[in-house]
């Protein structure tokens, strides 16, 4: 695609009707997920939605997925617990589970057309920590490198990780996509070393440049998608 779905400049994508991909992270008071696991689970949830048969061809979600991808690729992460989570689970979507995180992804909806049980969920306050520092990423597996220069809430970072996974998916061949899907979408999300960030963003790998709708400045590089097949 010649026009980035994340660029800050106005373009053809802005003229199309705007949709958003909703993601909801389960945030129980007594058992919040670890931050890195939440980011990785959100990224896998996006990939699961992109590859699901309902999103392809004549599938029931295919039209919404096409409309969403023709416009800006917006994702919004909200949080739910208890009865909120149970109501979210009752809506059409897919729940993806990590080590400690549960993220449910839903087919795209118009910006002003959220289902009421999702619209009432809060966006702010999605702050998470890692109880222990993440282990080094496996260099033979895909890694979504987060910018070391930007501070983002967990919800914002989850959306950015999803963007990075999606850009990698778009760059892969059908054979490479199938191999990644069949392996269960292994991936890691890590913060890049400051000394290596410039190398990653200038390497030709897919890089997310945020449109600047929330939290960070337009055009900021947030994620470099380092998939082995793209090196």
């Amino acid at each position: 695609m010649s026009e980035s779905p994340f660029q800050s400049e106005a373009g053809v994508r802005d003229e199309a009707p705007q949709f958003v991909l909703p993601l909801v992270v389960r945030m129980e008071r007594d058992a919040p997920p670890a931050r890195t696991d939440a980011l990785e689970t959100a990224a896998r949830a996006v990939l699961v939605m992109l590859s699901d048969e309902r999103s392809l061809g004549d599938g029931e979600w295919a039209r919404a997925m096409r409309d969403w991808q023709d416009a800006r690729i917006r994702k919004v992460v909200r949080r739910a617990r208890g009865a909120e989570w149970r109501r979210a689970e009752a809506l059409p979507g897919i729940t993806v589970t990590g080590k400690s995180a549960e993220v449910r992804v839903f087919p795209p909806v118009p910006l002003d057309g959220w289902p009421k049980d999702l619209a009432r969920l809060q966006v702010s306050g999605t702050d998470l920590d890692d109880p222990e520092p993440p282990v080094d990423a496996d260099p033979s597996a895909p890694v979504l490198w987060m910018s070391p220069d930007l501070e983002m809430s967990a919800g914002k970072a989850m959306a950015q990780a999803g963007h990075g996974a999606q850009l990698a998916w778009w760059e892969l061949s059908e054979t490479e996509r199938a191999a990644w899907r069949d392996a269960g979408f292994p991936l890691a999300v890590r913060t890049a070393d400051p000394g290596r960030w410039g190398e990653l963003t200038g390497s030709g790998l897919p890089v997310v440049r945020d449109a600047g709708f929330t939290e960070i400045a337009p055009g900021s590089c947030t994620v470099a998608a380092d998939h082995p097949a793209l090196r």
Side-chain angles (χ1 to χ4, degrees):
M1 297 184 180
S2 59
E3 185 190 358
S4 168
F6 307 108
Q7 67 183 12
S8 56
E9 295 84 2
V12 174
R13 287 180 178 275
D14 293 287
E15 298 171 4
Q18 298 295 302
F19 290 77
V20 62
L21 187 79
L23 298 106
V24 175
V25 57
R26 187 175 186 179
M27 292 269 289
E28 300 295 345
R29 278 198 180 93
D30 57 348
R35 180 183 173 99
T36 296
D37 188 41
L39 268 59
E40 292 172 350
T41 305
R44 282 197 300 273
V46 171
L47 293 167
V48 168
M49 174 59 77
L50 287 166
S51 62
D52 192 277
E53 62 181 12
R54 290 166 289 185
S55 298
L56 306 173
D58 295 325
E60 61 184 290
W61 300 339
R63 174 63 183 273
M65 291 292 287
R66 286 193 297 269
D67 289 345
W68 171 60
Q69 292 179 86
D70 284 343
R72 293 293 183 123
I73 310 303
R74 298 190 184 192
K75 301 176 181 72
V76 172
V77 177
R78 300 191 175 200
R79 57 188 173 92
R81 62 172 178 258
E84 295 173 332
W85 176 255
R86 292 190 291 274
R87 285 193 293 268
E89 279 200 307
L91 297 174
I94 306 169
T95 297
V96 177
T97 303
K99 296 182 180 70
S100 61
E102 289 182 75
V103 175
R104 189 163 179 82
V105 59
F106 303 87
V109 297
L111 277 179
D112 57 355
W114 285 66
K116 64 179 182 179
D117 284 331
L118 298 183
R120 60 169 58 119
L121 299 177
Q122 293 188 8
V123 179
S124 61
T126 312
D127 296 320
L128 300 170
D129 296 309
D130 282 313
E132 299 178 1
V135 300
D136 290 343
D138 179 355
S140 67
V143 183
L144 303 174
W145 294 105
M146 306 294 291
S147 169
D149 303 323
L150 300 171
E151 290 189 9
M152 292 181 276
S153 68
K156 178 72 171 181
M158 289 169 69
Q160 298 299 305
H163 292 338
Q166 186 166 0
L167 286 186
W169 177 258
W170 280 348
E171 292 291 327
L172 297 174
S173 68
E174 289 297 330
T175 300
E176 291 161 347
R177 289 180 179 181
W180 199 11
R181 181 193 63 234
D182 292 346
F185 292 122
L187 58 84
V189 177
R190 297 292 185 272
T191 299
D193 182 273
R196 190 169 174 242
W197 181 239
E199 174 190 340
L200 286 166
T201 56
S203 65
L205 291 170
V207 175
V208 178
R209 291 176 172 82
D210 193 63
F213 294 121
T214 60
E215 293 194 27
I216 57 179
S220 299
C221 295
T222 59
V223 182
D226 185 11
H227 191 292
L230 302 179
R231 293 171 189 159

